[in-house]
């Protein structure tokens, strides 16, 4: 299997980096690591995301094979989103970056205040 080269401007690896560098994708991935969720639960858990942006993010993540969308034949219809194996494989590195951000946010804010 070929591996990509993130430093090659024509390499599709950059598309993957765009996806995992998107804050909404990261938050969806971290949220779904707890198990399948409905749209409204996911939106509430993430906070601050509009329905339109969340819908776009979920569609893109599904297209990339990171999540699944399952529709249940109920009235009203119930839709749940879940991580795929590929999405679960991304959880550990993303969780490490998120933890680093949480642990260092105050220091970064202090540096920003010094510069401005």
């Amino acid at each position: 299997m070929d591996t990509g080269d993130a430093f090659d401007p024509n390499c599709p690896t950059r598309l993957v980096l765009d996806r995992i560098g998107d804050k909404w994708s990261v938050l969806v991935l971290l949220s779904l690591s707890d198990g399948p969720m409905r749209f409204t639960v996911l939106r509430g858990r993430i906070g601050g995301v509009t329905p339109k942006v969340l819908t776009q993010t979920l569609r893109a993540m599904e297209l990339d094979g990171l999540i699944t969308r399952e529709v249940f034949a109920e009235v009203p219809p119930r839709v749940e989103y879940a991580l795929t194996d590929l999405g679960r494989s991304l959880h550990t590195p993303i969780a490490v970056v998120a933890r680093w951000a949480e642990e260092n946010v105050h220091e970064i804010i202090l540096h920003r205040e010094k510069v401005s």
Side-chain angles (χ1 to χ4, degrees), residues 92-103:
T92 298
I94 292 294
V96 169
V97 171
R99 195 172 315 110
W100 182 90
E102 291 168 345
E103 291 170 357

Side-chain angles (χ1 to χ4, degrees), residues 5-98:
D5 178 1
F7 292 99
D8 177 353
N10 299 312
C11 181
T13 299
R14 291 191 176 195
L15 299 172
V16 176
L17 292 174
D18 284 344
R19 173 68 49 235
I20 63 176
D22 172 66
K23 71 178 174 183
W24 302 121
S25 296
V26 168
L27 294 171
V28 166
L29 188 128
L30 292 171
S31 296
L32 292 178
S33 67
D34 292 337
M37 287 187 191
R38 294 178 74 168
F39 183 91
T40 52
V41 174
L42 189 56
R43 183 170 174 237
R45 175 127 189 236
I46 292 172
V49 63
T50 64
K52 178 183 176 182
V53 169
L54 181 56
T55 297
Q56 291 170 339
T57 301
L58 291 168
R59 284 181 182 156
M61 292 179 75
E62 184 180 11
L63 184 65
D64 291 344
L66 298 172
I67 66 169
T68 59
R69 178 180 185 270
E70 185 174 3
V71 180
F72 295 88
E74 299 175 357
V75 178
R78 178 170 54 105
V79 178
E80 286 187 347
Y81 297 90
L83 292 177
T84 62
D85 289 341
L86 184 62
R88 278 189 289 282
S89 75
L90 186 54
H91 176 261
T92 298
I94 292 294
V96 169
V97 171

